[in-house]
Amino acid sequence: MRPRALSLWACAALLALPGPAALAQKGAAPAAVRPTAAATPLPAAVEAALLRAKVPLDAVSFVVADAEGRQAPRLAWRAQEPMNPASVMKLVTTYAALELLGPAFTWDTPVYLDARPQGGSLRGNVYIKGVGDPQLVVERLWLMLRRLQAQGVQVIVGDIVLDRSAFDLPAHDAAVFDGEPLRPYNAAPDALLVNFKSVALTFVPDTAAGVARVQVEPPLAGAPWPATVPLAAPGAECGDWRAALKPDWTDPARVAFQGVFPAACGERVWPVAPPDPNGFAARAIEGLWRDLGGKLTGSVREGRVPQGLAPAFTVASPSLAEAVRSINKYSNNVMTQQVFLTIALQKNGTATFDGARNAVAQWWRQRMPAAEPPVLDNGAGLSREARVSAASLARMLQVAWASPVMPELLSSLPIAGADGTLRRSQVGRAARAAHLKTGTLRDVSALAGVVHAAGGRRYVVVALANHPNAPAARAAMEALVDWAAGER
């Protein structure tokens, strides 16, 4: 049976953004640095908002400049200071990818058979070679396995072998960044990234039966989930329904809910990255293969595609431009890292973080030679080490404005007051007139993009705050955007 369109692809915003624990993680704030002169004084509304937020002037950097770069910046405050940009770093990765790979680039995942199917059976192995596709979600995995069945394969008398050798990455501990290993935004990149290494748990109350029915997508082999959870007592408020479920994740092979689900919540979806992420692809592929009626006498295991074996078919992803839109609209971290590593894969034949950093740095020096390059780390901004100055980001946006890929990059950014991570923003005159990428971590708030001013001019706007109260500085950033939009 075809799965409902309820995969994590439909929950991108929930998958990508750090939760409260990430914002509250302990650690030293970036050191304060000396302020530099501004081209003009800070707008009064911006200063007032910073005062209310208790964020000092030497903890922020601002640039407002003509998008075409033909005039001196309208505003430049501490513009040269390296700052942590959080997810605004995704602008660098996605723009570099659009130029280096092209907006129409696709990830073509090959599937191999080492024997000829006969009578619905394959007496041999199926090989799936990961190429870094960031969008191999449950619907597309379903289509891949249906394509396999269309080759005449219903029974695999052998193994399904997963080749993940295209990425050469260090071990990843999903708990290191903020102690939240089950949050999908902490998932590690993978040459064969299946459904963001996450499941969507759907809870549907059935008051007549006194239970909430649980649906899991994709189905995972060897990891049984309870089909139902008892409902809470009648009249119970929804509240923190996740905590009320009392999930037990200690055994990846046996997930349990020891609590109840409040019927007042109605239908709810919970995206979760289960334990043992390295085994997720194997469990998801086997689970969905069996759910489709396929049989497997062997196992799903790691391995390499034999040399000289030709693909039986390939599965093409949506275009890079579509991936960039999902990345920037909803700030998806693992998709960004997939794109970042793909740049290295296409250049070097094998993807490493060092290779990706070197490739993007080389691109930066060629395109923005006078601007200080960023410290990229993992390319997604989910990092305490990433750094870039407001001046460098502003210069990159000016170069992007004149680039052939400007339409793809600009249309990928959230529209202020309309969609993505800015759908609830309060930007006054800039509502629906600004395309901006946001970023938030503990001690970090950031915003950058293009504002369409009332007088018809286009401005690049960059705002960075590094301070324990940085999340409260978002109001000051929105005031800056409103100020830029009011120019006539």
Side-chain angles (χ1 to χ4, degrees):
M1 183 178 73
R2 183 166 183 160
R4 286 193 304 155
L6 187 62
S7 76
L8 302 185
W9 187 253
C11 306
L14 295 176
L15 292 176
L17 300 176
L23 305 184
Q25 184 198 22
K26 295 181 179 179
V33 291
R34 181 175 58 84
T36 56
T40 60
L42 291 181
V46 175
E47 285 206 57
L50 289 173
L51 183 63
R52 289 192 298 271
K54 299 181 180 179
V55 175
L57 295 179
D58 64 358
V60 297
S61 295
F62 299 134
V63 171
V64 178
D66 175 57
E68 296 182 355
R70 295 179 180 177
Q71 300 176 348
R74 189 178 173 198
L75 173 68
W77 176 258
R78 296 181 69 249
Q80 302 293 338
E81 301 296 334
M83 304 277 279
N84 188 326
S87 282
V88 167
M89 188 65 84
K90 292 178 173 68
L91 284 174
V92 179
T93 296
T94 53
Y95 174 38
L98 286 169
E99 287 210 334
L100 292 171
L101 304 175
F105 175 87
T106 59
W107 289 262
D108 299 328
T109 302
V111 178
Y112 305 79
L113 310 179
D114 65 5
R116 185 182 297 276
Q118 293 182 345
S121 294
L122 174 75
R123 294 189 176 277
N125 298 326
V126 174
Y127 297 84
I128 303 174
K129 183 173 176 60
V131 294
D133 185 349
Q135 304 172 87
L136 191 55
V137 292
V138 63
E139 297 93 339
R140 292 188 57 241
L141 179 61
W142 184 91
L143 290 170
M144 175 189 287
L145 297 179
R146 288 290 290 163
R147 286 277 302 274
L148 178 58
Q149 291 182 338
Q151 300 288 315
V153 180
Q154 294 292 330
V155 179
I156 302 171
V157 186
D159 298 332
I160 299 176
V161 182
L162 309 183
D163 187 338
R164 299 159 65 189
S165 61
F167 284 9
D168 182 10
L169 305 179
H172 175 79
D173 184 348
V176 166
F177 185 75
D178 59 8
E180 295 281 353
L182 301 179
R183 299 273 188 170
Y185 65 77
N186 274 324
D190 196 310
L192 191 61
L193 180 73
V194 172
N195 215 54
F196 311 129
K197 298 185 180 179
S198 301
V199 296
L201 305 178
T202 303
F203 298 87
V204 182
D206 182 344
T207 53
V211 298
R213 305 196 182 279
V214 184
Q215 182 175 358
V216 183
E217 290 186 359
L220 301 182
W225 300 76
T228 61
V229 177
L231 289 179
E237 295 183 357
C238 184
D240 188 354
W241 58 274
R242 292 179 180 86
L245 286 167
K246 297 181 181 178
D248 181 359
W249 310 105
T250 54
D251 183 359
R254 186 175 180 80
V255 180
F257 295 106
Q258 299 175 344
V260 295
F261 181 81
C265 294
E267 182 174 322
R268 292 295 175 112
V269 179
W270 185 3
V272 174
D276 186 26
N278 288 335
F280 182 86
R283 297 198 305 275
I285 289 171
E286 181 178 352
L288 192 52
W289 175 249
R290 296 188 185 281
D291 195 58
L292 285 168
K295 296 181 180 179
L296 176 68
T297 65
S299 64
V300 183
R301 60 177 175 85
E302 300 279 327
R304 295 286 189 100
V305 176
Q307 289 188 353
L309 192 61
F313 62 92
T314 60
V315 178
S317 73
S319 69
L320 172 63
E322 294 177 70
V324 166
R325 178 180 172 85
S326 295
I327 287 169
N328 286 332
K329 288 287 187 184
Y330 300 105
S331 206
N332 192 301
N333 291 300
V334 70
M335 285 184 70
T336 312
Q337 294 180 68
Q338 295 288 114
V339 170
F340 188 54
L341 289 161
T342 297
I343 294 172
L345 179 62
Q346 292 299 305
K347 181 177 181 180
N348 303 323
T350 303
T352 64
F353 278 117
D354 281 343
R357 287 187 283 263
N358 290 338
V360 174
Q362 182 181 12
W363 165 83
W364 182 284
R365 289 191 296 269
Q366 292 172 346
R367 297 291 277 130
M368 283 78 62
E372 185 68 20
V375 177
L376 289 160
D377 196 8
N378 57 31
L382 191 70
S383 166
R384 302 294 174 195
E385 311 303 323
R387 292 291 184 276
V388 70
S389 70
S392 289
L393 275 176
R395 180 57 189 149
M396 187 200 77
L397 288 169
Q398 288 175 328
V399 172
W401 183 256
S403 169
V405 301
M406 180 274 287
E408 286 79 14
L409 181 65
L410 193 64
S411 65
S412 77
L413 303 184
I415 301 171
D419 70 0
T421 58
L422 282 176
R423 63 191 181 280
R424 297 190 182 94
S425 64
Q426 304 295 318
V427 289
R429 288 167 290 190
R432 301 182 182 274
H435 291 75
L436 304 165
K437 180 73 192 77
T438 60
T440 305
L441 291 175
R442 178 227 57 203
D443 295 353
V444 179
S445 187
L447 180 152
V450 175
V451 176
H452 304 261
R457 184 168 293 178
R458 306 295 188 262
Y459 289 101
V460 298
V461 175
V462 180
L464 307 173
N466 287 185
H467 187 269
N469 293 337
R474 183 55 58 85
M477 296 178 182
E478 292 178 342
L480 182 71
V481 172
D482 180 63
W483 177 77
E487 188 274 340
R488 291 186 180 276

